[in-house]
Amino acid sequence: MSTSQLLPLELVDKCVGSRIWVVMKTDREFSGTLLGFDDFVNMVLEDVTEYDNLGNQTHLPKILLNGNNICMLIPGGEPGGEAGEEPGEQTASE
């Protein structure tokens, strides 16, 4: 293995303490600060915003996500790219 390769769990480990966007298998998405995870990619997030498919947002202080239901992880991500922006909107800087 070359030194330029990064394994998936290594990437998640580098995201501990920073913002992450989690897309679930269901119609929910979460954006928050990753506090930690285990070998099954169960995750603890804090300062979380939950997004549903209707565009509703719910703020949660802390949440535990089951790794079996996670579809995709976006490091540093927020739906839409900017905090407070609706998913799919673009900013003038893009």
Side-chain angles (χ1 to χ4, degrees):
M1 177 171 26
S2 74
T3 58
S4 64
Q5 286 183 327
L6 187 64
L7 297 174
L9 287 179
E10 290 178 43
L11 178 59
V12 177
D13 190 46
K14 288 180 180 246
C15 294
V16 172
S18 62
R19 299 290 291 177
I20 190 165
W21 177 15
V22 182
V23 179
M24 306 300 285
K25 290 180 182 177
T26 61
D27 59 354
R28 293 181 177 177
E29 300 177 12
F30 298 90
S31 178
T33 302
L34 179 63
L35 293 181
F37 68 99
D38 64 10
D39 291 337
F40 301 104
V41 196
N42 298 315
M43 301 183 142
V44 177
L45 302 177
E46 74 175 351
D47 189 27
V48 180
T49 303
E50 176 184 0
Y51 304 87
D52 65 14
N53 63 345
L54 300 175
N56 299 321
Q57 297 180 15
T58 307
H59 182 76
L60 305 163
K62 199 174 282 190
I63 192 168
L64 170 65
L65 297 176
N66 184 322
N68 284 334
N69 296 319
I70 294 173
C71 180
M72 183 169 45
L73 303 172
I74 299 102
E78 291 276 340
E82 296 288 331
E85 187 178 327
E86 288 297 316
E89 284 186 13
Q90 293 184 350
T91 62
S93 63
E94 292 184 81

